[in-house]
Amino acid sequence: MFSETSSFSHLTDEELVNLAQNGKNEAQTLIFERYKKTVKSTANAYHSKFSTFCLMGLLDSDDIFQEGLLGLLSAIYSFRPEKNVTFRTYSAKCISKVQPPSSPQIQ
């Protein structure tokens, strides 16, 4: 794992995303490190909201966390800075809209 002391640690999230989109794995790894707590927090909130389904074995907290990481990965490669939105805002939407395949349909 890379830490915030890597050669890319001084870059903004948007600069890291640009590097990741251009094949720099270290930049992608650093984004994952920076956003891991955000993904975990979102997964925990989702887990708490649907705790009944979790207790029934229909949702697993690790699965929810992994789905959140997939949402972050999607955000990295679909982010477009010309839309005038920060990566933090964009990624939060991508992370929170992902639902595990076994999750109940919520309307």
Side-chain angles (χ1 to χ4, degrees), residues 42-61:
T42 302
N44 288 341
Y46 191 91
H47 187 269
S48 295
K49 185 175 181 179
F50 300 105
S51 60
T52 303
F53 295 103
C54 296
L55 291 173
M56 294 170 54
L58 298 174
L59 290 176
D60 179 82
S61 59

Side-chain angles (χ1 to χ4, degrees), residues 32-81:
F32 271 86
E33 286 298 313
R34 285 185 182 179
Y35 282 82
K36 188 173 20 177
K37 287 183 182 179
T38 301
V39 173
K40 189 67 170 170
S41 175
T42 302
N44 288 341
Y46 191 91
H47 187 269
S48 295
K49 185 175 181 179
F50 300 105
S51 60
T52 303
F53 295 103
C54 296
L55 291 173
M56 294 170 54
L58 298 174
L59 290 176
D60 179 82
S61 59
D62 289 336
D63 290 340
I64 297 169
F65 178 69
Q66 289 181 6
E67 288 291 326
L69 291 175
L70 289 174
L72 178 58
L73 184 64
S74 172
I76 291 170
Y77 290 101
S78 62
F79 178 72
R80 299 291 173 255

